[in-house]
Amino acid sequence: QVQLVESGGGLVQAGGSLRLSCAASGRTFSTSVMGWFRQAPGKEREFVARIRWSGLRTWYADSVKGRFAISADNAKNTVYLQMNSLKPEDTAVYFCATSRYDTVTPENYDYWGRGTQVTVSS
């Protein structure tokens, strides 16, 4: 089992920044990739960013490229999502998740946190 706890969400004005954290515990040895997803009311869950534990290679959704940055601290089993130049369309619940594969498909992620709310006002 893997436990994930997100933190760092909140209310911010458009153009502002937030930094999300995801602390992982449990049997993290079975995971290969950490991902961030988000879900707004009435919309499907969508991929935001992912990072490999080994080598820390990253991938981003087109909608956040140049604005968001994912990083990881292997020693602390913690993943971060630095969000800059935030837009109202970024408003959503942000989830951290783990996967055995390089994928953007939510169904292929095995464990999920409970999420943290990010609200961007105009």
Side-chain angles (χ1 to χ4, degrees):
Q1 295 287 335
V2 176
Q3 293 79 45
L4 304 173
V5 180
E6 302 97 337
S7 62
L11 175 64
V12 65
Q13 293 186 11
S17 299
L18 285 173
R19 186 172 189 170
L20 306 183
S21 298
C22 174
S25 61
R27 301 178 62 179
T28 56
F29 66 88
S30 63
T31 67
S32 179
V33 174
M34 298 289 291
W36 284 99
F37 293 79
R38 65 188 183 186
Q39 187 166 22
K43 296 184 178 180
E44 294 184 356
R45 182 172 43 186
E46 65 174 345
F47 167 77
V48 175
R50 71 181 192 269
I51 186 170
R52 290 179 179 174
W53 284 116
S54 177
L56 302 181
R57 186 173 180 178
T58 61
W59 295 261
Y60 297 93
D62 289 342
S63 60
V64 305
K65 285 181 179 178
R67 299 190 299 120
F68 291 10
I70 188 171
S71 61
D73 186 330
N74 297 78
K76 296 182 178 180
N77 286 332
T78 300
V79 178
Y80 307 93
L81 185 68
Q82 178 67 46
M83 304 184 295
N84 300 319
S85 301
L86 283 163
K87 305 174 182 179
E89 64 189 271
D90 296 318
T91 296
V93 177
Y94 284 70
F95 299 91
C96 180
T98 70
S99 177
R100 294 171 292 171
Y101 315 104
D102 272 335
T103 178
V104 301
T105 305
E107 288 76 12
N108 288 330
Y109 282 74
D110 302 307
Y111 299 97
W112 295 79
R114 295 178 62 86
T116 185
Q117 177 70 47
V118 172
T119 302
V120 184
S121 62
S122 59

